[in-house]
């Protein structure tokens, strides 16, 4: 470089350029972050401002903090994280925003799953993580930073989350009592682990031959299915207990949609786990393989239509907002790729192309390794209760063909609604 009259990078700059993760954390627009912080800071209420001040003063005075911020969903935890992160990054400090799941991390500014040490770790949805995750991080940071006498090697750690995993609720209200397991009549056959909860009639749809169609019409009506928009689909959903039930509802709704569609067939293959290869294909013909279904793997026949909502089943590119659980809306169905627009996370409105990928399933209960090449997508007019976590919906249908597994699961399902008028339940 010197021969051509170019400046030679210093050792410090060389160290940064050779570390991709460090380079990413140092490449923010500090002036833009400063302007963002000036706009957001006055919007903090008293409680959030007190947390913000403690974190800011502790970092500026280099006094380690280990803090947990507890609040129901919708109370502004993510907004608080954004204020803290924008301030520190505008000062050139490195902040790692992490979450237990990929979809939760998309709610954070430049959020990722845990992967490196930093000046401040903001860990959202902390109650969803196993305690061993924190124990392992603690031991690793003490080892890496050569600091055995301080928790997390002296790194500032800010945890947050909601032990009930819900949206805003009224104190002492019916919904909160469900989450606290303070409501319900014990089952005579299993009084310790099971109880019956009476749901108000105002929330129920009467069971009948057309009851599921009534639930679908309550949530989506006619307009959303014929002329859907991102804003409309984003605040509507039907939730149920299992993937099988959600798939059945999605199949029924997709038949009601009148837009152009396309069916994508997968390429299924198997590889024997043992030595014996003779007549293996005869024992497991391709028609049999096409009918196999496994958790987290799309079906052999993937039926999609223009403007229908879809959900990613794998992490593809988290920096671009494409991770397991991201919701999108289909805009074009091409032979080898699917063009869609992101509806959730920090990349809302971004147009992306989804390719086919290979799914591998290996289990002790089958004598072969199963491989399916298919688009990592599923229709998501309906989804499981777990996948609905973190969403705030103006129209929600809860379909419960069988009892829920726990108080917490029913609590999460009911708390997706923003008001009693926005929810209907079909038992």
């Amino acid at each position: 470089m010197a021969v051509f009259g170019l400046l030679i990078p210093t050792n410090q700059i060389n160290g940064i350029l050779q570390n991709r993760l460090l380079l990413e954390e140092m490449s923010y627009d500090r002036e833009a972050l400063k302007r963002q912080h000036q706009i957001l800071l006055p919007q903090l209420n008293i409680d959030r401002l007190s947390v913000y001040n403690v974190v800011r003063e502790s970092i500026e005075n280099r006094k380690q903090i280990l803090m947990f911020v507890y609040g129901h969903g919708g109370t502004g935890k993510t907004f608080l994280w954004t204020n803290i992160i924008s301030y520190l990054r505008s000062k050139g400090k490195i902040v790692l925003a992490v979450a237990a799941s990929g979809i939760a991390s998309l709610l954070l500014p430049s959020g990722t799953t845990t992967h490196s040490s930093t000046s401040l770790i903001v860990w959202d949805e902390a109650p969803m993580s196993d305690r061993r995750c924190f124990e392992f991080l603690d031991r690793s940071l003490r080892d890496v930073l050569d600091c055995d006498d301080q928790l997390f090697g002296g790194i500032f750690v800010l945890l947050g989350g909601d032990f009930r995993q819900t949206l805003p609720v009224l104190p002492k209200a019916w919904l909160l009592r469900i989450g606290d397991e303070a409501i319900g009549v014990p089952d005579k056959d299993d009084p310790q682990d099971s109880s019956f909860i009476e749901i108000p009639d105002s929330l129920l749809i009467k069971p009948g031959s057309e009851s599921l169609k009534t639930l679908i019409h309550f949530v989506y009506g006619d307009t959303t299915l014929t002329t859907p928009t991102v804003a409309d689909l984003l605040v509507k959903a039907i939730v149920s207990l299992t993937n099988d039930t959600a798939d059945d509802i999605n199949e029924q709704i997709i038949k009601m949609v009148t837009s152009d569609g396309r069916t994508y067939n997968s390429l299924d293959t198997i590889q024997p786990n043992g030595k014996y290869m003779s007549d293996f294909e005869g024992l497991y013909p391709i028609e049999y393989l096409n009918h196999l279904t496994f958790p987290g793997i799309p079906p052999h026949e993937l039926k999609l239509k223009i403007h229908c909502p879809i959900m990613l089943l794998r992490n593809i590119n988290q920096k671009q907002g494409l991770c397991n659980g991201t919701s999108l809306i289909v805009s074009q169905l091409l032979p080898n790729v699917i063009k869609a627009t992101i509806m959730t996370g920090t990349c809302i409105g971004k147009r992306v192309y989804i390719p086919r990928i290979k799914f591998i399933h290996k289990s002790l209960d089958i004598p072969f390794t199963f491989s399916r090449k298919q688009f990592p997508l599923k229709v998501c007019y309906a989804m499981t209760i777990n996948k609905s976590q973190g969403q705030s919906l103006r129209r929600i249908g809860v379909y419960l063909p069988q009892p829920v597994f726990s108080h917490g699961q029913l609590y999460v399902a009911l708390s997706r609604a923003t008001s009693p008028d926005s929810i209907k339940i079909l038992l």
Side-chain angles (χ1 to χ4, degrees):
M1 295 178 64
V3 174
F4 296 98
L6 299 176
L7 294 177
I8 299 177
T10 63
N11 291 334
Q12 182 180 5
I13 294 178
N14 271 328
I16 295 176
L17 293 176
Q18 292 171 8
N19 188 325
R20 181 179 60 83
L21 296 177
L22 183 60
L23 184 60
E24 289 176 356
E25 295 296 336
M26 299 290 288
S27 61
Y28 295 107
D29 186 337
R30 293 172 60 176
E31 287 301 318
L33 289 169
K34 183 178 180 180
R35 292 192 296 269
Q36 180 190 39
H37 176 257
Q38 291 172 345
I39 295 172
L40 297 180
L41 183 60
Q43 301 178 44
L44 289 176
N45 61 22
I46 295 176
D47 292 332
R48 288 180 293 196
L49 184 60
S50 64
V51 176
Y52 169 87
N53 287 332
V54 169
V55 174
R56 178 172 173 173
E57 291 171 6
S58 299
I59 291 180
E60 289 178 345
N61 296 327
R62 297 302 303 162
K63 293 182 179 179
Q64 186 191 26
I65 56 168
L66 300 170
M67 181 182 293
F68 187 94
V69 179
Y70 171 55
H72 302 301
T75 53
K77 296 189 298 297
T78 302
F79 187 75
L80 172 62
W81 308 151
T82 304
N83 266 278
I84 294 172
I85 292 170
S86 62
Y87 169 73
L88 294 175
R89 284 178 175 165
S90 70
K91 297 295 183 181
K93 297 183 180 296
I94 296 176
V95 183
L96 185 59
V98 304
S101 63
I103 192 63
S105 71
L106 290 180
L107 301 176
L108 302 172
S110 298
T112 63
T113 48
T114 314
H115 67 264
S116 65
S117 60
T118 181
S119 301
L120 172 67
I121 296 176
V122 180
W123 193 321
D124 198 15
E125 301 291 1
M128 296 176 65
S129 300
D130 190 287
R131 66 176 178 83
R132 287 169 292 187
C133 296
F134 302 101
E135 294 170 355
F136 179 78
L137 179 64
D138 176 39
R139 292 196 302 269
S140 298
L141 290 177
R142 291 188 191 213
D143 182 39
V144 170
L145 299 174
D146 195 20
C147 183
D148 292 333
D149 58 340
Q150 284 187 288
L151 288 171
F152 299 104
I155 293 290
F156 295 64
V157 179
L158 182 58
L159 307 178
D162 173 14
F163 288 104
R164 296 184 183 90
Q165 297 297 315
T166 68
L167 291 176
V169 294
L170 295 175
K172 301 181 182 179
W174 178 69
L175 186 60
L176 188 58
R177 292 174 66 196
I178 292 176
D180 290 334
E181 300 185 30
I183 191 174
V185 179
D187 183 1
K188 293 180 181 179
D189 297 328
D190 188 13
Q192 186 166 351
D193 296 324
S194 302
S195 59
F196 291 98
I197 295 175
E198 184 177 355
I199 297 176
D201 290 338
S202 60
L203 301 181
L204 290 173
I205 289 179
K206 293 182 179 180
S209 59
E210 299 293 316
S211 55
L212 183 54
K213 288 185 178 179
T214 303
L215 183 68
I216 294 172
H217 189 269
F218 168 79
V219 176
Y220 290 106
D222 295 325
T223 305
T224 305
L225 296 181
T226 55
T227 56
T229 63
V230 171
D232 205 19
L233 289 172
L234 196 57
V235 294
K236 297 181 178 181
I238 296 174
V239 300
S240 190
L241 296 172
T242 64
N243 283 310
D244 290 341
T245 305
D247 291 342
D248 291 340
I249 299 173
N250 283 321
E251 187 174 351
Q252 185 165 334
I253 297 178
I254 205 75
K255 292 178 181 177
M256 302 166 62
V257 177
T258 57
S259 59
D260 295 336
R262 191 167 193 158
T263 299
Y264 295 96
N265 293 330
S266 67
L267 175 62
D268 298 340
T269 57
I270 56 174
Q271 182 68 36
N273 289 338
K275 309 176 184 178
Y276 305 102
M277 303 280 294
S278 62
D279 201 29
F280 207 75
E281 293 182 359
L283 292 173
Y284 303 101
I286 191 65
E287 292 79 12
Y288 167 77
L289 300 180
N290 292 162
H291 282 89
L292 292 178
T293 58
F294 300 102
I297 296 181
H300 166 64
E301 282 193 352
L302 181 62
K303 299 177 181 178
L304 301 177
K305 290 189 176 181
I306 300 295
H307 303 314
C308 80
I310 53 177
M311 180 179 290
L312 272 179
L313 301 178
R314 287 289 188 274
N315 294 333
I316 296 180
N317 188 332
Q318 196 164 328
K319 288 290 183 181
Q320 298 298 319
L322 297 175
C323 74
N324 185 5
T326 298
S327 294
L328 310 96
I329 183 172
V330 175
S331 54
Q332 193 172 3
L333 298 171
L334 301 170
N336 298 314
V337 292
I338 294 173
K339 182 180 178 182
T341 302
I342 296 177
M343 295 197 298
T344 55
T346 55
C347 298
I348 295 175
K350 182 180 179 64
R351 286 179 291 183
V352 295
Y353 292 89
I354 310 297
R356 294 178 191 265
I357 65 173
K358 184 176 289 188
F359 295 83
I360 305 294
H361 179 80
K362 187 175 182 179
S363 176
L364 294 176
D365 58 353
I366 56 176
F368 52 79
T369 298
F370 177 80
S371 173
R372 170 168 289 167
K373 191 172 184 181
Q374 179 62 288
F375 291 100
L377 303 167
K378 68 183 301 181
V379 178
C380 65
Y381 288 105
M383 65 186 74
T384 60
I385 291 173
N386 291 341
K387 284 293 186 182
S388 70
Q389 174 61 44
Q391 299 188 40
S392 178
L393 304 170
R394 291 204 302 266
R395 283 281 180 180
I396 179 172
V398 181
Y399 182 49
L400 303 176
Q402 64 219 46
V404 295
F405 307 131
S406 67
H407 281 260
Q409 191 176 35
L410 178 61
Y411 190 56
V412 169
L414 299 180
S415 66
R416 298 308 94 205
T418 53
S419 72
D421 296 333
S422 64
I423 184 171
K424 287 292 182 183
I425 303 168
L426 175 60
L427 302 178

